[in-house]
Amino acid sequence: MKKDEPPFTFPKTLEEFEYAFNEYGQLRHIKTGEPFVFNAREDLHRWNQKRYEALGEIITQYVYELLEKQCNMTKAILPVDAAEGEPTSFIYLSSDALSNPSKLLVLIQGSGVVRAGQWARRLIINQDLDSGTQIPFINRAMEEGYGVMVLNPNENYLEVEKRALSTPTTSPNEASDEPAEKRERKDDKEGKKKREFYEKYRNPQKETETERIPVRENGSSEEHVLYVWDHFVSKAAAKNVFIVAHSYGGLSFVELMNQREMEVKNRVCAVALTDSAHNIWLQETSKGTQDWMQQHCCNWVSSPELLDTPLEPMLPDCPRVSAGTEKHELTSWTSLRSVFKFFGEALNAREGEEAEESASAVTTRSSSLKSKHQDL
């Protein structure tokens, strides 16, 4: 006989869960040293899933602490003019994110449960912090003199409990247009369904119904990226902006280009996409945007080929190369070194072009002065 489903009450800290991250950033059981086990209770998939989600929430807070304590980043609340009591979100900024005159790195993750500082919750729990979080990108960027902005495109609503609505119930004695025989067959069918359900969960728990109140001007990943561009990136001092966008984050970046094409072209030096979900046809990008992407973007995609192997383009937008892994969620981690090499080359090329333009302007100016002198 199956046991009753245990209550959905779970530990609130890693210690209470009896897990901790070891020196290699791997999540391990404190007593056994074993990796996290999803199926803690057999035949209770819903309970196991709820337990996994509870652990995920703790991981989110843990990563926020790492961003603040290890990376010395601070939160900036969105919207910037939020009224007291209204739903808010936030991003993380390095101390020089707005003041660094040279380079700014902007990190945008994909969709789903991941929050600021994470690429993939599954990797953090089952593999390690390096592969699943953005911290290696942040540390590398800071070592190379970048200011850093960590976006939070999925923290875009406040979840509140729905108020219970009284629903009118129909008495079994009330008249019905259905023939009695048909009604009995229907009742039988429903009764069987209920019995099967109770056989699986003899004591199913009703989950709390909630509704989501969107964060103003940040109600979706696309809105969030646009808002952060307008209120933070565009106001930053950095002459050169660099972006890493994973999965749906790539789609949000392309949407930003559609909305702020000239601004992006003027400020952004290079964009590294990792298994991006963008689509230039569905997103109706201009020919100018496509041409710019061809020159300034590169998409590291999941592939069995060796890292950086050029791959056939699927659309006329930007070059595609292998991320050196077939796992979608690992593409950012495996391509980290290649991404920073790509950024370095893009910056050198831009500075080379600027130096040429500057030299050419000086030559033109001196020859014009010379001709004026000769006229005299």
Side-chain angles (χ1 to χ4, degrees), residues 112-336:
V113 294
V114 285
R115 297 293 185 263
Q118 301 180 45
W119 293 127
R121 180 187 282 183
R122 191 190 315 167
L123 289 176
I124 297 171
I125 292 174
N126 299 316
Q127 192 156 312
D128 56 29
L129 288 165
D130 276 353
S131 61
T133 74
Q134 298 174 344
I135 290 168
F137 278 83
I138 296 164
N139 290 339
R140 175 74 178 263
M142 288 177 171
E143 283 165 18
E144 294 193 12
Y146 291 77
V148 184
M149 271 186 206
V150 172
L151 272 55
N152 203 4
N154 304 314
E155 182 84 27
N156 44 32
Y157 56 83
L158 174 68
E159 199 153 19
V160 294
E161 200 171 319
K162 264 188 184 175
R163 289 181 186 174
L165 294 170
S166 54
T167 52
T169 55
T170 310
S171 158
N173 300 322
E174 279 178 29
S176 165
D177 293 337
E178 279 188 331
E181 193 180 292
K182 191 177 176 186
R183 200 162 61 242
E184 279 165 18
R185 276 204 308 272
K186 196 170 156 190
D187 290 346
D188 263 359
K189 218 172 182 181
E190 284 173 1
K192 190 181 175 194
K193 271 187 185 171
K194 280 179 186 170
R195 280 197 303 278
E196 284 171 356
F197 183 81
Y198 279 97
E199 189 56 38
K200 191 167 184 185
Y201 297 124
R202 284 181 57 242
N203 182 24
Q205 297 160 76
K206 193 174 188 308
E207 293 180 54
T208 311
E209 282 194 42
T210 59
E211 62 179 321
R212 294 174 171 185
I213 304 169
V215 175
R216 174 164 52 90
E217 295 179 81
N218 286 268
S220 67
S221 176
E222 297 93 319
E223 275 190 15
H224 174 77
V225 171
L226 183 64
Y227 187 89
V228 174
W229 176 273
D230 288 346
H231 292 83
F232 294 89
V233 183
S234 67
K235 294 177 180 177
K239 195 176 176 186
N240 303 291
V241 175
F242 298 83
I243 295 171
V244 179
H246 175 61
S247 193
Y248 199 89
L251 183 149
S252 298
F253 165 73
V254 171
E255 199 52 42
L256 170 69
M257 281 219 74
N258 287 346
Q259 303 286 333
R260 301 286 185 271
E261 186 176 341
M262 290 319 297
E263 286 183 41
V264 171
K265 286 178 177 178
N266 288 335
R267 295 291 303 279
V268 176
C269 183
V271 181
L273 303 169
T274 59
D275 233 359
S276 175
H278 74 276
N279 185 306
I280 55 166
W281 300 146
L282 294 176
Q283 293 182 261
E284 298 178 355
T285 58
S286 69
K287 178 72 168 63
T289 292
Q290 292 170 35
D291 292 344
W292 185 89
M293 287 179 71
Q294 193 69 244
Q295 298 296 317
H296 299 272
C297 301
C298 184
N299 191 6
W300 277 264
V301 303
S302 47
S303 160
E305 300 293 332
L306 290 173
L307 177 66
D308 295 329
T309 303
L311 302 171
E312 281 294 310
M314 294 179 77
L315 295 171
D317 49 13
C318 64
R320 296 165 75 245
V321 297
S322 172
T325 178
E326 292 184 69
K327 288 186 178 175
H328 167 71
E329 64 269 25
L330 266 173
T331 49
S332 302
W333 168 237
T334 55
S335 57
L336 184 149

Side-chain angles (χ1 to χ4, degrees), residues 301-373:
V301 303
S302 47
S303 160
E305 300 293 332
L306 290 173
L307 177 66
D308 295 329
T309 303
L311 302 171
E312 281 294 310
M314 294 179 77
L315 295 171
D317 49 13
C318 64
R320 296 165 75 245
V321 297
S322 172
T325 178
E326 292 184 69
K327 288 186 178 175
H328 167 71
E329 64 269 25
L330 266 173
T331 49
S332 302
W333 168 237
T334 55
S335 57
L336 184 149
R337 287 181 185 173
S338 301
V339 165
F340 279 94
K341 184 171 179 254
F342 171 65
F343 287 167
E345 288 167 357
L347 184 61
N348 289 339
R350 178 179 263 202
E351 287 174 344
E353 283 168 18
E354 285 171 355
E356 274 180 33
E357 283 170 17
S358 173
S360 152
V362 168
T363 308
T364 311
R365 205 160 47 245
S366 62
S367 61
S368 122
L369 286 168
K370 196 175 179 184
S371 60
K372 270 187 186 174
H373 182 69

